[in-house]
Amino acid sequence: MNVLMQYRRAAVLLIVLLFLPAVAAAGSQWETKEIPSENESVLGGAISGEYVIFLTSGGMNQSDNRIKLYDVSSGDSNIIGAPSEGMMVTGEDLSGDCAVWFETESRDNYEENDTDTKPNSIYLMNIAEDNTSILNLPGDAEWPKIEGNKIFWSNSSEESLETNFCIYDNSTGESEYVLAADYADSADIVFDNGNVAYENMTSLNLFNIESGEETVIYAFESDND
């Protein structure tokens, strides 16, 4: 699946609102943290516990994209993901002390019908141990979503309209097939509490991994009568 990145000029500061528990009868309270982005455009982000992960761009060259991690407690912001030559990083997600993202070919270096392209790679970082590894996944793995020890990932092909979805278990190092869908939007999939919400060209669907039950949440209106 092609990676479509629509660049837009973002504010210099990424504003993260952290909800603090109510204290006695004082009611709810909000605290605003300003995360320095060093004059870069912020393209996305996720928050879990004391960490915020986000993607920045220093310009129109996708190879300049960086994955950054912000520590709410210390106020430190550091680069944790940078691409190898001819590649770009994107698809960041976070759960507890673990962060994921993937590396794919930069469209700046893309040539049509190029047969020597490098396959995608999904990265997993253990924040507490400051250790980053590349997951051993089959095919062209992309768009990881993480929850606890489970990493939900997609595998698509230019030769097929079908996208396969799998789950990698970080505790065992094994992957298992979950489902396949046509025209699925891998980038916007939601993975939460054993459920997968995804969108294709006709509907918004909810799939329960344990039961294998799939429900159409909303069917899109068709222009054809």
Side-chain angles (χ1 to χ4, degrees):
M1 176 177 292
N2 291 332
V3 179
L4 303 178
M5 300 293 293
Q6 298 180 343
Y7 285 94
R8 64 182 185 274
R9 187 65 182 173
V12 174
L13 299 179
L14 172 66
I15 307 301
V16 179
L17 299 178
L18 302 176
F19 182 77
L20 301 180
V23 180
S28 300
Q29 181 181 359
W30 292 85
E31 180 182 351
T32 302
K33 295 283 188 180
E34 297 182 348
I35 304 177
S37 61
E38 301 177 1
N39 296 322
E40 298 166 312
S41 294
V42 178
L43 304 177
I47 183 170
S48 179
E50 292 294 305
Y51 298 106
V52 180
I53 191 172
F54 57 102
L55 177 68
T56 67
S57 169
M60 294 302 296
N61 191 337
Q62 292 181 331
S63 297
D64 291 334
N65 287 5
R66 297 292 182 268
I67 305 292
K68 290 191 173 183
L69 187 72
Y70 175 77
D71 188 321
V72 177
S73 298
S74 67
D76 293 334
S77 180
N78 298 301
I79 295 174
I80 60 172
S84 54
E85 184 177 358
M87 307 294 281
M88 61 174 282
V89 289
T90 189
E92 70 287 347
D93 198 19
L94 188 64
S95 178
D97 286 335
C98 289
V100 291
W101 63 91
F102 79 104
E103 181 182 72
T104 188
E105 185 182 14
S106 170
R107 295 179 68 83
D108 304 311
N109 300 304
Y110 177 78
E111 295 182 8
E112 192 172 357
N113 299 323
D114 187 356
T115 58
D116 296 325
T117 56
K118 182 179 177 181
N120 298 343
S121 298
I122 290 182
Y123 287 77
L124 170 65
M125 178 184 185
N126 186 308
I127 300 171
E129 298 178 2
D130 192 22
N131 179 45
T132 302
S133 58
I134 300 176
L135 301 185
N136 183 21
L137 302 176
D140 226 14
E142 59 186 4
W143 299 113
K145 313 291 181 181
I146 185 169
E147 183 182 39
N149 286 326
K150 307 291 186 179
I151 299 173
F152 184 89
W153 57 279
S154 307
N155 190 334
S156 59
S157 170
E158 296 289 345
E159 289 75 37
S160 173
L161 302 176
E162 186 178 76
T163 298
N164 292 320
F165 298 113
C166 304
I167 285 185
Y168 174 85
D169 190 326
N170 190 33
S171 61
T172 64
E174 298 180 352
S175 287
E176 64 174 314
Y177 167 85
V178 175
L179 78 154
D182 292 339
Y183 298 104
D185 184 354
S186 301
D188 292 331
I189 280 177
V190 176
F191 173 52
D192 181 68
N193 199 30
N195 294 297
V196 179
Y198 73 95
E199 176 185 328
N200 56 29
M201 294 185 69
T202 61
S203 59
L204 175 64
N205 305 288
L206 181 67
F207 181 83
N208 183 274
I209 296 174
E210 182 175 357
S211 67
E213 181 179 355
E214 186 166 10
T215 305
V216 175
I217 303 300
Y218 181 78
F220 304 140
E221 294 182 5
S222 174
D223 294 333
N224 300 322
D225 294 331

